[in-house]
Amino acid sequence: EKTVLSVEVERKTRYVKLTKLQNKKAKSKSKALQKRLKMIQSLSKVQRPLVRTITSDNGSENALHKEIELNLNAKMYFAHAYHSWEKGSVENVIKRIRRYIPKGEKISKYTKQQIQWLENKINSTPMKCLGYYTPIEMMDKEANKYKFREYQKNLFISGAFPVRM
């Protein structure tokens, strides 16, 4: 089997997760996607998960999408065949990855550390669509926004905030 690179992009923050998979089978993709996205979901300590939807292509590697939806509590959508603009964020990231890993290059020759370096490089690059913030900064804001609201609510309920009359 051929080693592949799985690319996930969070739509709102443009946060990218790259995963090196040993093959393109549904079981490998499902396991890796759930592991990576559960880590992101754990950033939010409130009832509202950070990742609520996933858009993917119609490839056979996404056959276990129902299992992914149940385990991540997220809805999975699929782009139509030959409609790459329906998942434009992912296509843009793939174009950026191609600067470092040319098309046709064997993914197996790259280490996990090199893939992690590339992920960090992409997530550390300011983007115009994010107001020149980086995806890391936006994900941090998104995660903390919900925690802070919940934290404020808990402080108010517990009486830690003084109430002025």
Side-chain angles (χ1 to χ4, degrees), residues 35-149:
K35 181 179 176 186
R36 299 297 295 251
L37 291 182
K38 278 189 181 209
M39 186 277 300
I40 292 173
Q41 296 291 54
S42 71
L43 295 174
S44 177
K45 299 297 182 195
V46 296
Q47 291 78 17
R48 187 175 180 189
L50 288 174
V51 179
R52 294 183 290 277
T53 62
I54 302 166
T55 303
S56 188
D57 60 9
N58 288 317
S60 61
E61 70 274 9
N62 296 310
L64 297 174
H65 63 91
K66 289 293 183 194
E67 177 185 313
I68 294 169
E69 285 181 334
L70 287 172
N71 288 336
L72 294 175
N73 192 25
K75 181 78 176 129
M76 202 155 182
Y77 295 95
F78 293 94
H80 294 92
Y82 307 105
H83 288 72
S84 59
W85 59 88
E86 292 179 349
K87 50 186 179 74
S89 296
V90 174
E91 295 298 328
N92 183 290
V93 169
I94 290 170
K95 183 172 80 174
R96 292 165 63 197
I97 290 169
R98 294 282 177 230
R99 295 177 190 167
Y100 301 94
I101 304 175
K103 190 170 180 86
E105 190 87 24
K106 291 188 179 197
I107 301 296
S108 58
K109 80 177 206 178
Y110 294 95
T111 65
K112 286 185 179 183
Q113 290 79 16
Q114 289 171 314
I115 300 297
Q116 184 64 52
W117 176 86
L118 182 54
E119 179 183 303
N120 291 341
K121 177 118 176 110
I122 292 169
N123 285 326
S124 301
T125 304
M127 298 179 76
K128 184 177 180 179
C129 64
L130 299 175
Y132 296 99
Y133 285 102
T134 67
I136 289 173
E137 292 169 332
M138 293 304 288
M139 180 57 84
D140 189 49
K141 276 185 177 184
E142 194 68 19
N144 288 328
K145 178 167 62 173
Y146 298 118
K147 283 188 205 175
F148 187 65
R149 283 186 191 157

